[in-house]
Amino acid sequence: MGNRKFLRPLVIVSALVLFVMSVSAQDNNRLELGVPVIGEISSDVPAQVYTLVAAAGDIVNVGATSQPGLALQIVVTDAAGNQLASALGTVEGGGATALNVPLAQGTNYIVVFAGAGSTTQGGQFRILADAASGSEPAATPEPAPTAAATLEPITPPVVGAVNDGFQLGQVLTASGLEVTLDWSSTADLNLELRDPTGQRLFFDSRTNQNGGSFGFDVNGLCEVLSSPAQETAEYSPGAIPVGSYEILVYYRQNCENNGAQPFTVNVTVDGIALPAIIGTLQPPATGVSSVFISSFIVNTDGTAVAGASGPYQDTRVIPQTLSNELASAQKTELVDGFPARGVINGSFYYDLYTFTGTANQVVAISMTRQSGNLDTLLLVLDPNNQIISDNDDIVAGNVTDSAINNPPLRLPVDGQYTVIATRYGKDVGGTAGEYDILLQTQTTALPQDIVDLGLPTGDIQMTLVWNTNADLQLLVRDPSGQAVYDDRLTVPSGGRMFAQGNLNCVAALTTPVSHIYWPTGLGRGGSYEVEVWYQNQCADTRAVNATLYISVAGQQVAALPITPSLNDRYVTSFVIESTGQATLGAGGIVGGSETLNFNAELEGAPVIAPNQIVRGSIDQNNKFDVYVFEGTAGQVVNIRMERTQGALDTSLYLISPSFFEVAANDDAVVGTTTDSLIAEFALPESGRYIVLATHFATIYGGTIGTYQLSMTLQ
């Protein structure tokens, strides 16, 4: 009985589908073949249901991808609720794919939810339905209006007869996929393969979440030498990802003075060999590897097409084809603070943007992958088309999104600037996908020495600066209740901690700063709670004067002065509305029941009886609820407050008949639950007791949701 919530998930989904079928068509999310959409599930919205209209005989592949930890399950049914297909992803890979699904004529339903085994019950995903190999579905009717504000349909461009390079899904193969690198010397060359979902295979990543494997690291570190030499990356027979694969060949070390090194790369997809890739790499200079890049695309029908090949050119080398078009090519104007979406794939390896700036204006530009395996690259050109700034990876070898913000760019002259949004390798690169590009002018009032640090920008930013060597902890809780802080640097919603000033009393060389942000495209609406905890003086007894800066969508929401004492917790909150506007809540040092003005509510307060369960909700307009009961001195009371929905971090206070706070609890088990329990408390006097049901930080708290309250009295 302990696993009831996992019993018969398909029955639950079928019931959900039948419920959705009873709602008008415009309330459903509608899929079109070949058009991916973005969806999101959470504890409040545990499933998304999509409609797909089909003709008799239509056969489709349905794929959904998400972050690791969210094992998506897909269930496909007809209009009567009969199951047509089901697929469950893995916890490691996240996604799920249902292949060759025969649809019923008319409306079909596709349900996406977190399957059994998921370590998280919420997050964003991307879903795509497309015709299966050999199937020729009828034309999809014009889509009906949809009220699903969380979805953003994206229509990718068509490139000849091949797919767009970042389609979701897999194709079944009889003999898998193999890429081999061959060379005839003891030089240390390395092979790396990136698949369409961004999974990598190389000497330090020998398996990946899509079933790929890597062989032996030949001549690695010049230790065990072999000539001739071969390295291999492969996917076993069965399902392999569809889309664009990128091949990288690195010349790491010239182990025995081999000089320039010829090599051959062979690619075989389901037993069919592509034309051999032949190249030569020069020995690495000053410890920097020489790199050769190639690519190929696996189509949804299992065929494969070779891409361009060539040695990697310096980041600031503009390919001749692009250089010829700079003056005449169409450019899109960037609007400050509003992201634009683009696509890089196949031979369409760049997009051009412009903005008008003034001398000494400070700007930040980011390019963030939204799908596929795109490894972004940003170049900024001045009004004379000279490159003045570039960025490939935000964090080399780790975060392949690009951002010119560390430091931000100070424009040299007045005029029109050009931004090249492209990929690593540019014209010979092989990664593909959608991206968001965002221009932000400096709008915050941060001190100049903090601005000069080039802290990363995004949809949401919290920056804390202070004046001493003290250890102040910055913590932010997102609308799902997940907290970003120095013990948890990232959360599933996208929040990231970048700087942790004076952590563990390691003092900063300059002004201490802590910084938490949500990158562009990852900000979402809801209630956010921000906490500053003065943890340790770190042998510095000076008074702490801190400032907390909060920015949303490039606009400053607050610059709050904070003067905490040791062990104080300062808490504030803000709400991002559906319009994108942010509203700041009250802020202050966390106190107890004295911060709650409950006297005005005592007259009409409901009575809670022993073993009774009452329910309520806490939000920004209702910070606490008041209940009363009669007790006798010596009686033992247990009061429990449990969250039932939302991100509510509950908190309980018990007030005696003499109006003293006699018991309180925030977390019943610290670090395990945010529910509250006043346990085995002996009442000190007889009379009417007051129970205050609220959330952490009382009037300053930002978590919201529903709860149930119960009491026993003995």
Side-chain angles (χ1 to χ4, degrees):
M1 296 297 289
N3 293 324
R4 283 186 63 186
K5 66 179 180 180
F6 294 119
L7 292 180
R8 305 181 69 189
L10 298 184
V11 173
I12 295 172
V13 173
S14 295
L16 178 59
V17 170
L18 291 173
F19 169 77
V20 172
M21 290 160 51
S22 67
V23 184
S24 63
Q26 66 176 8
D27 292 327
N28 293 317
N29 304 327
R30 187 172 183 131
L31 289 180
E32 292 186 72
L33 293 180
V35 180
V37 295
I38 307 298
E40 184 172 6
I41 54 178
S42 64
S43 58
D44 295 331
V45 184
Q48 290 284 356
V49 182
Y50 300 90
T51 60
L52 181 59
V53 177
D58 280 358
I59 300 175
V60 300
N61 297 327
V62 181
T65 58
S66 67
Q67 73 273 16
L70 180 57
L72 290 176
Q73 184 155 359
I74 298 173
V75 176
V76 185
T77 73
D78 62 16
N82 299 310
Q83 182 177 314
L84 304 177
S86 176
L88 175 64
T90 64
V91 174
E92 294 79 12
T97 304
L99 297 174
N100 300 315
V101 180
L103 298 179
Q105 184 172 1
T107 300
N108 297 262
Y109 293 87
I110 301 172
V111 186
V112 183
F113 60 102
S118 292
T119 58
T120 177
Q121 297 300 305
Q124 289 190 328
F125 61 87
R126 187 170 184 270
I127 184 168
L128 174 72
D130 211 347
S133 176
S135 174
E136 297 184 0
T140 305
E142 287 296 317
T146 175
T150 59
L151 297 179
E152 184 177 3
I154 304 157
T155 305
V158 177
V159 183
V162 301
N163 69 51
D164 63 11
F166 57 93
Q167 281 184 289
L168 300 178
Q170 298 175 317
V171 62
L172 292 176
T173 66
S175 54
L177 180 155
E178 182 181 73
V179 178
T180 61
L181 167 66
D182 292 276
W183 69 103
S184 299
S185 79
T186 55
D188 181 9
L189 268 61
N190 283 137
L191 170 68
E192 179 179 340
L193 179 66
R194 303 188 195 186
D195 75 15
T197 68
Q199 295 291 308
R200 304 163 66 195
L201 291 173
F202 64 106
F203 69 88
D204 203 28
S205 178
R206 296 183 180 275
T207 60
N208 68 25
Q209 297 171 350
N210 290 327
S213 62
F214 186 84
F216 187 68
D217 179 18
V218 181
N219 299 341
L221 302 176
C222 298
E223 291 178 348
V224 180
L225 300 180
S226 174
S227 179
Q230 183 182 82
E231 290 189 357
T232 303
E234 62 182 354
Y235 288 77
S236 300
I240 64 172
V242 166
S244 181
Y245 290 75
E246 183 175 72
I247 302 167
L248 300 105
V249 180
Y250 300 88
Y251 196 155
R252 301 286 192 189
Q253 298 182 79
N254 189 9
C255 300
E256 294 182 336
N257 296 318
N258 292 285
Q261 184 55 57
F263 62 85
T264 302
V265 176
N266 289 292
V267 178
T268 303
V269 179
D270 204 13
I272 305 299
L274 296 180
I277 302 165
I278 299 174
T280 299
L281 282 173
Q282 298 298 319
T286 62
V288 179
S289 302
S290 298
V291 185
F292 185 95
I293 307 174
S294 188
S295 63
F296 61 95
I297 290 177
V298 174
N299 298 308
T300 54
D301 61 2
T303 60
V305 179
S309 297
Y312 173 75
Q313 301 294 316
D314 183 81
T315 299
R316 293 198 172 197
V317 173
I318 298 178
Q320 192 61 48
T321 53
L322 172 53
S323 182
N324 293 339
E325 297 179 5
L326 272 176
S328 59
Q330 181 178 357
K331 302 178 180 70
T332 301
E333 184 175 358
L334 290 173
V335 179
D336 184 18
F338 291 87
R341 178 156 294 189
V343 174
I344 300 294
N345 71 304
S347 60
F348 298 95
Y349 67 90
Y350 68 89
D351 287 322
L352 300 178
Y353 298 89
T354 64
F355 67 92
T356 300
T358 58
N360 294 315
Q361 184 180 18
V362 176
V363 301
I365 306 171
S366 63
M367 182 180 179
T368 307
R369 175 180 64 88
Q370 297 298 326
S371 67
N373 60 357
L374 182 62
D375 183 350
T376 63
L377 172 64
L378 272 176
L379 301 171
V380 181
L381 284 61
D382 67 13
N384 295 318
N385 281 341
Q386 299 300 308
I387 297 175
I388 58 172
S389 188
D390 66 86
N391 183 256
D392 178 19
D393 296 339
I394 293 177
V395 180
N398 187 13
V399 181
T400 61
D401 292 333
S402 305
I404 296 173
N405 59 12
N406 191 17
L409 175 62
R410 192 176 295 275
L411 302 181
V413 296
D414 295 351
Q416 187 177 69
Y417 289 78
T418 299
V419 180
I420 301 175
T422 182
R423 63 187 173 195
Y424 173 79
K426 298 182 280 285
D427 55 335
V428 296
T431 62
E434 302 151 328
Y435 67 86
D436 279 349
I437 185 169
L438 177 67
L439 168 73
Q440 291 178 300
T441 59
Q442 194 70 54
T443 58
T444 63
L446 290 172
Q448 188 58 46
D449 58 340
I450 303 303
V451 171
D452 292 341
L453 292 176
L455 300 172
T457 59
D459 288 343
I460 305 169
Q461 302 163 214
M462 275 68 57
T463 305
L464 177 71
V465 296
W466 63 102
N467 65 319
T468 75
N469 295 322
D471 182 359
L472 271 62
Q473 182 191 76
L474 175 65
L475 178 150
V476 182
R477 292 182 180 87
D478 68 15
S480 68
Q482 300 291 320
V484 190
Y485 62 112
D486 51 38
D487 283 342
R488 190 181 187 190
L489 301 181
T490 63
V491 291
S493 64
R496 304 174 185 178
M497 186 161 210
F498 179 80
Q500 307 141 46
N502 294 351
L503 177 64
N504 297 323
C505 292
V506 178
L509 296 178
T510 57
T511 303
V513 57
S514 292
H515 184 71
I516 293 174
Y517 73 110
W518 271 255
T520 303
L522 298 184
R524 55 180 288 195
S527 180
Y528 291 78
E529 183 177 83
V530 187
E531 176 185 325
V532 177
W533 177 20
Y534 186 171
Q535 294 187 114
N536 196 325
Q537 284 184 313
C538 302
D540 189 339
T541 59
R542 290 177 293 169
V544 171
N545 293 301
T547 304
L548 174 64
Y549 299 91
I550 302 173
S551 296
V552 175
Q555 300 300 314
Q556 189 174 96
V557 175
L560 304 170
I562 307 172
T563 55
S565 299
L566 183 61
N567 295 321
D568 276 351
R569 293 175 185 255
Y570 176 95
V571 172
T572 188
S573 64
F574 61 94
V575 176
I576 302 177
E577 308 292 348
S578 58
T579 60
Q581 295 296 312
T583 303
L584 183 69
I589 303 299
V590 174
S593 58
E594 75 280 0
T595 63
L596 300 174
N597 183 18
F598 59 86
N599 289 308
E601 298 188 23
L602 282 178
E603 183 176 349
V607 176
I608 181 170
N611 302 313
Q612 178 188 7
I613 295 177
V614 295
R615 294 177 172 83
S617 64
I618 302 296
D619 55 37
Q620 298 300 335
N621 297 316
N622 182 54
K623 292 286 189 175
F624 64 95
D625 288 330
V626 182
Y627 301 91
V628 296
F629 68 90
E630 294 292 327
T632 303
Q635 283 187 300
V636 175
V637 68
N638 291 275
I639 308 171
R640 184 182 300 273
M641 182 181 182
E642 299 171 291
R643 175 183 62 87
T644 55
Q645 198 170 41
L648 183 64
D649 182 352
T650 65
S651 191
L652 273 175
Y653 295 94
L654 180 62
I655 310 299
S656 73
S658 301
F659 285 89
F660 289 103
E661 179 187 307
V662 292
N665 182 258
D666 177 27
D667 297 337
V669 181
V670 177
T672 301
T673 179
T674 60
D675 292 336
S676 305
L677 173 65
I678 295 175
E680 301 296 320
F681 180 76
L683 300 180
E685 59 181 303
S686 299
R688 184 181 65 168
Y689 282 82
I690 303 165
V691 178
L692 304 179
T694 181
H695 55 186
F696 170 72
T698 59
I699 59 174
Y700 306 127
T703 63
I704 60 176
T706 60
Y707 68 87
Q708 66 179 26
L709 183 74
S710 59
M711 180 194 71
T712 63
L713 190 61
Q714 299 176 344

